[in-house]
Amino acid sequence: MTERLYYTSDATEGIAQVLSCSQEPDGRYAIELDKTLFHPQGGGQPADRGEIAGIRVESVVQRGESVIHILAEPLAVGEATLRVDAETRRLQSRWHSAGHLIGYAAERHGWQPIKAHHWPGEGKVTFIAGEGAAVPESDMLLTIIEAWISAGLLRHVAFESGRRKVRFGDLPAYLCGGTHVPDLQDIDKLVIGSIKQKKGQLTISYLLP
């Protein structure tokens, strides 16, 4: 099992132990560490970018309870330096956190989030109708969201039965393994792209200018 340092830390540089290095069918190498700063692709968020021991990390994936780092070159077992691309991490954290705000705002209109895609440039959250659900206008959602961003609500992380929960200020906590901004003001501005209802589901797309 890989210890996921990004669950509780915003650090983008550190040291870990290489536990194993095995060659993949495509010729690249799968690196397992005892702990990692790298978020793997999943949960609606793309993988972090960066380097391990100065070698570019080409992909980060989850396999069982382990986080696997895919590199073009092998690494020896032992200590290695980690460096996550801080600019990419911040961008992806902003998009993921913005998706949570879309979820919170739509819940206030009776919608329950069921899946989300927080990739930069193509963010969207899909909902199913709850009791008394009504399709909101984009300005209704933005009024709520902009107030939260302006207030600079802070991120809080907690663990319940081993599962990570993330919330901002006194808003509800979502079960989430992704990375997030420490302060909602870091999102700066959010734009609602479209609101579409189809087959009983509501999909809200969003952008960060």
Side-chain angles (χ1 to χ4, degrees):
M1 177 186 294
T2 310
E3 180 184 356
R4 302 176 189 235
L5 299 176
Y6 60 86
Y7 271 3
T8 56
S9 172
D10 292 321
T12 55
E13 295 187 7
I15 296 174
Q17 295 291 323
V18 176
L19 300 180
S20 67
C21 173
S22 58
Q23 193 162 29
E24 296 279 276
D26 64 3
R28 297 185 298 173
Y29 295 86
I31 309 299
E32 183 177 2
L33 307 173
D34 65 334
K35 55 190 175 183
T36 188
L37 295 170
F38 287 83
H39 179 279
Q41 181 174 324
Q45 180 177 333
D48 279 328
R49 300 175 185 171
E51 299 177 346
I52 299 177
I55 301 172
R56 184 172 70 89
V57 175
E58 298 188 350
S59 178
V60 189
V61 297
Q62 180 171 319
R63 294 178 183 170
E65 295 297 317
S66 297
V67 175
I68 303 299
H69 311 74
I70 307 299
L71 281 64
E73 302 176 39
L75 288 179
V77 170
E79 187 173 277
T81 57
L82 313 181
R83 187 188 67 79
V84 173
D85 184 286
E87 183 177 346
T88 300
R89 163 66 67 81
R90 181 175 181 273
L91 176 66
Q92 294 175 173
S93 296
R94 290 176 63 232
W95 277 82
H96 199 144
S97 301
H100 278 221
L101 298 189
I102 295 288
Y104 290 138
E107 281 187 294
R108 296 201 169 189
H109 293 276
W111 296 90
Q112 300 300 314
I114 56 170
K115 61 181 179 180
H117 186 73
H118 306 298
W119 289 53
E122 49 187 74
K124 61 182 178 181
V125 184
T126 301
F127 304 81
I128 56 173
E131 186 176 353
V135 178
E137 297 291 335
S138 60
D139 59 348
M140 298 166 66
L141 298 175
L142 287 174
T143 296
I144 300 171
I145 291 170
E146 288 172 353
W148 290 331
I149 293 175
S150 179
L153 300 184
L154 301 181
R155 179 195 63 210
H156 299 276
V157 174
F159 293 86
E160 184 177 296
S161 300
R163 303 179 74 186
R164 180 173 181 254
K165 303 181 80 171
V166 178
R167 65 179 173 86
F168 293 96
D170 59 357
L171 295 173
Y174 283 161
L175 288 169
C176 185
T179 63
H180 296 276
V181 296
D183 180 327
L184 286 185
Q185 287 190 344
D186 292 341
I187 293 176
D188 189 27
K189 186 174 179 60
L190 184 155
V191 174
I192 302 292
S194 66
I195 300 176
K196 298 179 180 179
Q197 187 177 19
K198 184 178 181 181
K199 296 182 179 179
Q201 296 186 345
L202 187 75
T203 299
I204 301 175
S205 65
Y206 65 94
L207 299 169
L208 299 185

